Amino acid sequence: MPRLQPPRGTHDLIGEEQRRHRFVTETARRIAETYGFAEWSTPIFEDTAVFARTLGETSDVVTKEMYTFADRGGDSLTLRPEGTAGVCRALVSNGLTQSLPQRVFYAGPMFRYERPQKGRFRQFHQIGVELLGPSPLTFPDGRLPSGVIADAEIIACGHDILHHLGIDADVTLEINTLGDAASREKHRAALVAYLRDFVSDLSDDSRLRLEKNPLRILDSKDPRDQAIIAGAPKITAHLSDEAQKFYDGVKKYLYIFDVPFKENPRIVRGLDYYSHTAFEFITTRLGAQGTVMAGGRYEGLVGEMGGPQVSGVGFAAGIERLAMLLARAPEAIAPAMVISLGAGEIEETGLKMLQALRRAGVAAEFSYHAALKRGLERADKIGSLVAVLIGEDEVKNHSVIVRDLTRREQNAYTAIEDVIAAVKKIFAEHA
């Protein structure tokens, strides 16, 4: 029988890789909480319409990458390719559209059928945030709309996550505006007029998009398209007064939040529902896969789920890519090794000590070997700093030996509280 391997485009998270993955997730969760975000967990598969309707019928995600299947009842289900649509569906399904704004953090696996590359998998993992309901987008009394602050705040949250991961120096924030509907319509007309002169030179995908969604051509990575796109009209030349004010406001608040950025007029979002702010955090350390975090503002997505017209802004980041940028992996926990040098009462005493340590918050492992040498060999293999030894003499004396395995020093204690304190002290001295 052939040896079974994980399916192409998937991977096991074990050891150092798992510690990196966990550090990214826990850091993002902690920083998101400081911004007032509460964690939501949505199903990893949804009704196919959740994604097909919202991501756009011409998007690569829908046409090429979704894992869609019929269940035994004949319903069409799709493994989630991204997190935003599911969060917006949950907002409506759980009757939360009357309790806005909602500030949501999520983390978990996503699924896309694409060619596996460095830091890109068919089952990959993302962290993300969504701020739903910072409305309206109007300009009351000459003030900037709340959405302007919300957009800058979301970007600042992403920046702070990268900072606390220790990788912000390796990442550059690039921002752009997609404008409002009127701005995009003017830009679309100018773009189509420009691209029609190059129809025969465009890639097959871009020729199809020219009629249905020409803005997506700006996101093409095909070398043939790239040369043409370089001279294409920019949306900044077609912004309405309100869209320009909105964009200028976002930049103003990024300065206030002390978030450095540069403008990139070629940033577009690959999904249909985005408007106004679009941004990406880019690195040069991962080759062609340079985007580690991306997001922007969206309109109409909640309405597609049967809810009211609620706007939102958010971002998602690939955990695998962020983990690759960490300078070093977090250290593995090296538990204390409890060694009982005999059976019966000796073993029972050791097991009681084992549980006392764990309940005091100390990582501890029990040696299944009654021989001191075998127990210490196991302790050395897993990097233990301390061994707790119980033998015949210790049982008679109602004591326990705590040995510092680094300094090769040991002391006997009679009170469980003193044993726990001694073990914790050794851990603290080697932290």
Side-chain angles (χ1 to χ4, degrees):
M1 177 180 285
R3 237 173 118 187
L4 293 176
Q5 298 292 331
R8 185 166 185 256
T10 68
H11 65 305
D12 300 311
L13 292 170
I14 296 172
E16 177 181 325
E17 191 171 10
Q18 175 61 46
R19 295 199 301 277
R20 287 175 176 267
H21 188 283
R22 178 178 173 179
F23 179 71
V24 169
T25 304
E26 292 182 347
T27 300
R29 180 179 289 114
R30 175 170 54 84
I31 300 306
E33 285 178 350
T34 68
Y35 279 76
F37 290 93
E39 186 166 5
W40 290 12
S41 294
T42 61
I44 64 169
F45 59 86
E46 299 264 8
D47 187 305
T48 298
V50 168
F51 305 112
R53 250 193 288 167
T54 58
L55 303 187
E57 298 294 341
T58 63
S59 71
D60 282 350
V61 176
V62 172
T63 60
K64 300 177 181 179
E65 298 173 4
M66 292 204 316
Y67 280 93
T68 298
F69 59 95
D71 70 4
R72 293 185 178 184
D75 295 324
S76 180
L77 302 175
T78 295
L79 297 178
R80 62 185 183 193
E82 56 89 45
T84 303
V87 167
C88 290
R89 192 272 310 146
L91 181 80
V92 176
S93 299
N94 291 278
L96 296 173
T97 56
Q98 302 302 312
S99 304
L100 298 175
Q102 290 286 336
R103 307 168 77 92
V104 181
F105 169 81
Y106 65 84
M110 310 291 168
F111 305 84
R112 294 189 186 185
Y113 187 88
E114 56 186 342
R115 183 169 64 87
Q117 301 173 57
K118 184 178 182 180
R120 186 189 290 271
F121 300 91
R122 290 176 177 174
Q123 177 181 311
F124 57 102
H125 300 79
Q126 284 186 338
I127 49 107
V129 301
E130 309 292 345
L131 206 174
L132 298 160
S135 301
L137 293 177
T138 55
F139 295 74
D141 305 324
R143 292 181 290 114
L144 289 173
S146 57
V148 173
I149 300 176
D151 288 12
E153 192 179 6
I154 285 291
I155 295 171
C157 179
H159 175 268
D160 282 359
I161 288 172
L162 299 175
H163 173 72
H164 283 85
L165 289 174
I167 61 178
D168 54 313
D170 299 313
V171 176
T172 300
L173 168 62
E174 297 183 353
I175 67 169
N176 189 28
T177 178
L178 306 179
D180 53 20
S183 304
R184 288 194 300 279
E185 191 56 39
K186 288 181 180 179
H187 180 228
R188 185 185 190 281
L191 183 62
V192 169
Y194 169 80
L195 291 173
R196 287 200 186 284
D197 293 335
F198 300 94
V199 171
S200 59
D201 300 317
L202 290 171
S203 66
D204 292 341
D205 283 345
S206 290
R207 280 198 294 273
L208 289 173
R209 289 173 176 161
L210 185 58
E211 301 300 327
K212 295 184 177 181
N213 195 338
L215 295 180
R216 284 249 169 78
I217 298 174
L218 297 176
D219 201 30
S220 172
K221 302 301 186 288
D222 190 295
R224 292 170 294 176
D225 296 335
Q226 287 286 312
I228 298 169
I229 292 168
K234 299 176 182 178
I235 194 169
T236 47
H238 303 279
L239 293 177
S240 66
D241 289 344
E242 270 115 10
Q244 185 66 63
K245 286 179 184 176
F246 194 100
Y247 186 40
D248 290 342
V250 171
K251 291 185 285 185
K252 170 187 173 181
Y253 285 112
L254 286 177
Y255 283 121
I256 291 173
F257 287 144
D258 194 25
V259 178
F261 65 88
K262 74 175 188 177
E263 297 180 71
N264 179 356
R266 294 303 178 200
I267 290 180
V268 296
R269 295 268 59 86
L271 306 176
D272 283 344
Y273 47 72
Y274 282 98
S275 65
H276 288 287
T277 310
F279 62 92
E280 296 182 359
F281 287 89
I282 308 291
T283 184
T284 59
R285 287 183 49 200
L286 298 178
Q289 303 303 314
T291 302
V292 296
M293 180 182 287
R297 169 161 291 280
Y298 48 88
E299 314 292 336
L301 182 54
V302 174
E304 287 283 351
M305 304 296 176
Q309 293 305 312
V310 174
S311 61
V313 59
F315 68 75
I319 295 175
E320 282 84 356
R321 295 187 198 180
L322 294 176
M324 291 168 66
L325 292 174
L326 297 179
R328 59 184 179 84
E331 294 293 330
I333 296 175
M337 180 60 63
V338 178
I339 306 174
S340 291
L341 303 176
E345 190 177 357
I346 297 173
E347 182 180 69
E348 292 171 8
T349 302
L351 291 172
K352 289 177 181 178
M353 192 67 248
L354 176 74
Q355 287 303 88
L357 286 166
R358 289 170 173 170
R359 287 170 179 166
V362 178
E365 180 178 319
F366 188 70
S367 172
Y368 295 122
H369 299 284
L372 177 61
K373 181 180 179 182
R374 295 289 297 278
L376 293 177
E377 285 175 350
R378 172 63 182 172
D380 182 63
K381 186 174 183 179
I382 64 174
S384 294
L385 299 172
V386 57
V388 177
L389 311 177
I390 301 101
E392 187 175 348
D393 290 342
E394 285 69 46
V395 170
K396 288 179 181 178
N397 298 328
H398 303 287
S399 66
V400 170
I401 292 175
V402 176
R403 179 181 295 184
D404 185 325
L405 296 175
T406 302
R407 296 173 178 161
R408 300 182 182 278
E409 299 173 352
Q410 66 182 45
N411 291 287
Y413 302 90
T414 55
I416 289 180
E417 294 78 9
D418 292 339
V419 174
I420 293 170
V423 171
K424 285 185 174 181
K425 182 181 178 184
I426 293 171
F427 273 106
E429 289 173 347
H430 291 85

